[in-house]
Amino acid sequence: MDEKDITFGETNNSSDDNKAQNEAFDLSFSDKTAISESRAEREDDLITDSYSDSVEDTAESLDGYESEHQDEIIEVEEAEAEEYENEVSEELEGFDTDDTVETLDAVSDSDAEEVTDEDLSEEYMDDVPAVISEEGYEDDADDKASDEPGDIDNEYGEAEDSDESDGYNDEEYDEDYDDEYEEEDVPRKRNQFRRPSKKKKHKRAQSKVNNSIFGGLILVSIILTVSIILAITGVKLGFEYLGAGKSEEDVTFNIPQDANPDQIADILIANDIIENKTLFKLAMKMQHSPTLFPGDVTLNPAMGYAKVIETLSVQRDVRQTVKITFKEGITLLEAAKLLKENKVCENEQDFIFNFNKLQDFPFETMINTNADTFYKMEGYFFPDTYEFYIGDTGYNITRVIRSNFANKFDSSMQQKMKARNLTLDQVMILASMVQWEANSAADMPKVASVFLNRLAQPDRYPKLQSDATGNYLTKVINVVGDSASKEHYKELYDTYICDGLPVGPVCNPGLDAIKAVLDPANTNYYYFCNDLRTGESFFAETYEEHEKNLVKAGLK
């Protein structure tokens, strides 16, 4: 065979080889790998073939042909690839999915994660086109690879040997074509036909129902909660507006000249007549904003907002007032007599009866009144200068005095009281004793230290031995009480008889005495005495020193 015939024959063979090559390129990545392995085996056989002596000539011929017709080859390959894809699409469109869906549902109901060949029936496998079967791909690959093997192997075998001469690399071409092929969205697997199982659909539907119920319950709960809050708020506002359940005790106070509604509302709140400023303004608008006149007015919380506004909108006469100064250490009985003398109250016992009642001040919750206390609120009539209305009520007088005590006994003093592990009763009892025992405010911290030191050692000093407690018996209990009560209270108040503190304060101490108990001097004193002539005080750590001080004070 001459050189011309060989070239022509190889050219014809290459045309057939191109067709086989294009069909092979349409296979999946795994199929083409199998073809490449088969081709490699055949190439080894061809190396020993009778054509080995003409490889170099054939390679040169193929190189020239491919250089001249490379663009045409690429166009043919792309056209055939597109035609093959169209055929696959048509077969898929004609595929009957009804039976397939039933089969897939059956597999899904058995909790299978994906469809496998074992889960599909023979009838289903017969309906599935060969193009989407992995076995079909492999069979087609083998058939197409077997067509004209000699020509294909010869062509590609020679081409691989001539890589250096023509620059063409078959493996690089396969990789480029694989990338292009993988970008095509051609369905190739059966599990692309998977649909949600009936069981999963049921679970999803059930989940939606549960979520809807849960969301509805939350919404209903929110609505009910808001409704209850609004209802409770409405009821409270209604009771507040009507004054239901409030005190009927009259309170007399003064509305200053030129006071505006805001200021008047603040005065009403300060005197516990109303609690809600906004509600008061609304009630004013409901009554067409009447003029509120200044001057003295007597109101009580049970009147309700409408009645309060009506009373304030009437002109009133100015009530006469009186100022009274109460000294530190005054007893409740002495204070009541001063009020009666200044015509503030008509009867001292009526005032004392009202003063011993609680009025819902915050500090009152800290009082642990003893049932044996002679006057339960003795010690809480804070000594000061007050202005009272002539002919005022015991409730109103008490409210004014107790409000002053609440302002003076502030949070800082309460913290010191807790730091010393004392109760309010203990503070006021000690302060009342210090108030009567000390000759001056400067001596009060040392006097307080003596009582606190003795209380810290009850076994050694069980009795405080304060003359102040005996004076209370003389000034108050023996004056008011009968013979039986005198003996009874003597054992409870006289610190020469009872151990520790008396059952209640013996007077109403001032601020200096209270501070002295909360901030006592740091001493080791257990005794003291006073010179009644000079007012000098003497302090001692031992009884022997105290005996000498008694001589100095002229008491012995």
Side-chain angles (χ1 to χ4, degrees):
M1 183 180 294
D2 57 14
E3 182 178 352
K4 180 177 181 181
D5 293 336
I6 292 173
T7 302
F8 179 77
E10 295 299 326
T11 303
N12 291 336
N13 290 337
S14 65
S15 176
D16 294 335
D17 293 340
N18 288 337
K19 181 176 180 181
Q21 177 187 9
N22 293 335
E23 294 175 351
F25 284 161
D26 292 337
L27 301 178
S28 65
F29 179 77
S30 59
D31 297 330
K32 287 188 282 185
T33 302
I35 294 174
S36 298
E37 294 175 354
S38 176
R39 184 195 311 162
E41 294 176 358
R42 288 194 294 273
E43 286 176 351
D44 292 338
D45 296 334
L46 287 174
I47 292 174
T48 59
D49 195 78
S50 60
Y51 292 101
S52 60
D53 55 352
S54 61
V55 168
E56 295 181 358
D57 296 336
T58 304
E60 293 176 357
S61 300
L62 288 172
D63 182 42
Y65 180 82
E66 288 180 352
S67 299
E68 295 176 358
H69 302 281
Q70 185 174 3
D71 294 337
E72 296 178 3
I73 293 171
I74 292 173
E75 292 178 358
V76 171
E77 290 174 350
E78 292 177 350
E80 290 181 352
E82 183 177 1
E83 181 179 357
Y84 181 77
E85 293 170 3
N86 292 335
E87 291 176 359
V88 171
S89 299
E90 291 176 359
E91 290 179 3
L92 291 176
E93 290 176 357
F95 180 75
D96 185 9
T97 61
D98 293 338
D99 295 336
T100 304
V101 171
E102 294 179 358
T103 304
L104 289 173
D105 288 341
V107 174
S108 298
D109 290 340
S110 63
D111 296 330
E113 291 298 327
E114 64 178 8
V115 179
T116 62
D117 291 340
E118 294 177 359
D119 298 323
L120 299 176
S121 63
E122 294 181 359
E123 180 181 358
Y124 168 77
M125 295 299 297
D126 293 337
D127 292 338
V128 178
V131 67
I132 65 171
S133 172
E134 293 179 0
E135 292 81 356
Y137 276 118
E138 293 175 359
D139 294 338
D140 291 344
D142 293 339
D143 293 340
K144 293 180 181 180
S146 62
D147 293 339
E148 306 273 333
D151 294 337
I152 294 174
D153 294 341
N154 187 25
E155 175 186 353
Y156 283 93
E158 294 172 353
E160 290 173 357
D161 292 337
S162 61
D163 284 344
E164 295 180 358
S165 61
D166 58 9
Y168 175 80
N169 190 316
D170 183 61
E171 293 181 358
E172 293 179 357
Y173 185 86
D174 287 345
E175 291 176 358
D176 294 338
Y177 194 85
D178 287 344
D179 294 338
E180 179 180 357
Y181 181 81
E182 288 175 358
E183 292 177 357
E184 297 293 334
D185 188 15
V186 179
R188 296 178 294 132
K189 301 273 184 177
R190 286 187 303 277
N191 37 3
Q192 287 182 336
F193 293 97
R194 290 177 60 192
R195 294 185 180 181
S197 67
K198 293 180 180 178
K199 191 172 184 179
K200 290 182 178 180
K201 289 180 180 179
H202 177 71
K203 289 182 178 179
R204 291 176 183 174
Q206 186 66 32
S207 176
K208 290 181 179 179
V209 172
N210 293 338
N211 290 338
S212 299
I213 294 174
F214 183 70
L217 290 175
I218 292 177
L219 181 60
V220 171
S221 300
I222 292 173
I223 293 174
L224 289 176
T225 302
V226 173
S227 300
I228 292 172
I229 293 174
L230 292 176
I232 293 173
T233 303
V235 171
K236 286 184 176 180
L237 290 176
F239 277 91
E240 172 67 15
Y241 179 80
L242 297 174
K246 291 194 171 186
S247 172
E248 296 182 0
E249 295 286 351
D250 287 339
V251 179
T252 303
F253 53 93
N254 181 266
I255 302 296
Q257 192 75 24
D258 299 327
N260 58 40
D262 277 353
Q263 294 171 334
I264 293 175
D266 291 334
I267 294 172
L268 294 173
I269 292 174
N271 286 276
D272 297 324
I273 303 301
I274 65 171
E275 297 179 3
N276 195 311
K277 187 175 182 178
T278 302
L279 184 60
F280 178 78
K281 291 181 179 181
L282 181 60
M284 285 280 294
K285 291 182 180 180
M286 292 171 60
Q287 298 191 30
H288 308 290
S289 301
T291 301
L292 304 181
F293 292 98
D296 300 318
V297 62
T298 299
L299 303 170
N300 68 70
M303 294 175 66
Y305 283 58
K307 186 65 175 178
V308 168
I309 294 172
E310 181 183 346
T311 303
L312 291 172
S313 61
V314 176
Q315 287 186 333
R316 299 170 300 280
D317 295 333
V318 177
R319 293 184 59 179
Q320 187 178 357
T321 62
V322 60
K323 287 184 178 181
I324 306 175
T325 299
F326 301 90
K327 295 181 179 181
E328 290 85 351
I330 193 172
T331 65
L332 189 58
L333 181 61
E334 293 170 338
K337 290 179 178 180
L338 279 176
L339 291 171
K340 181 181 178 182
E341 291 174 2
N342 288 274
K343 299 181 180 180
V344 175
C345 64
E346 295 181 358
N347 186 288
E348 62 266 25
Q349 291 301 325
D350 180 65
F351 163 73
I352 294 174
F353 175 78
N354 282 278
F355 192 83
N356 284 327
K357 292 181 179 180
L358 300 179
Q359 291 194 0
D360 295 328
F361 283 87
F363 76 87
E364 292 177 346
T365 60
M366 295 184 285
I367 300 175
N368 297 318
T369 55
N370 192 315
D372 290 325
T373 304
F374 190 76
Y375 287 140
K376 293 183 179 180
M377 295 302 292
E378 183 82 78
Y380 297 96
F381 191 119
F382 190 80
D384 207 341
T385 299
Y386 296 91
E387 184 175 10
F388 299 108
Y389 289 104
I390 299 298
D392 207 348
T393 63
Y395 176 87
N396 200 42
I397 298 169
T398 301
R399 185 188 59 80
V400 173
I401 297 170
R402 204 156 292 177
S403 177
N404 189 28
F405 179 88
N407 292 332
K408 296 295 173 56
F409 195 76
D410 56 18
S411 58
S412 63
M413 299 179 72
Q414 295 176 25
Q415 291 175 359
K416 291 180 180 180
M417 178 184 72
K418 294 178 181 178
R420 291 198 167 274
N421 197 26
L422 295 173
T423 66
L424 181 57
D425 289 324
Q426 291 171 337
V427 170
M428 299 311 296
I429 292 172
L430 285 167
S432 69
M433 295 167 61
V434 171
Q435 184 71 61
W436 270 2
E437 292 282 9
N439 284 329
S440 65
D443 287 336
M444 286 182 177
K446 288 185 286 186
V447 173
S449 71
V450 171
F451 291 133
L452 291 170
N453 289 340
R454 294 174 76 94
L455 287 173
Q457 298 187 41
D459 294 336
R460 185 178 178 185
Y461 304 99
K463 302 183 188 308
L464 296 181
Q465 297 179 336
S466 171
D467 293 336
T469 56
N471 292 337
Y472 186 72
L473 290 169
T474 303
K475 290 184 176 181
V476 178
I477 297 176
N478 292 342
V479 172
V480 179
D482 53 22
S483 299
S485 62
K486 291 177 183 178
E487 293 299 323
H488 173 71
Y489 286 109
K490 185 176 181 179
E491 296 178 357
L492 298 174
Y493 277 91
D494 193 343
T495 52
Y496 282 91
I497 299 175
C498 67
D499 293 341
L501 292 172
V503 294
V506 295
C507 70
N508 293 280
L511 197 59
D512 290 334
I514 297 173
K515 289 182 177 179
V517 174
L518 297 176
D519 291 307
N522 186 14
T523 71
N524 293 321
Y525 296 144
Y526 293 93
Y527 305 91
F528 72 91
C529 61
N530 299 319
D531 189 334
L532 301 179
R533 297 165 298 179
T534 63
E536 185 180 2
S537 298
F538 300 93
F539 298 89
E541 295 183 7
T542 65
Y543 183 73
E544 290 75 12
E545 292 178 0
H546 178 60
E547 286 290 325
K548 294 178 181 179
N549 289 335
L550 289 175
V551 175
K552 293 179 182 179
L555 300 175
K556 193 171 182 178

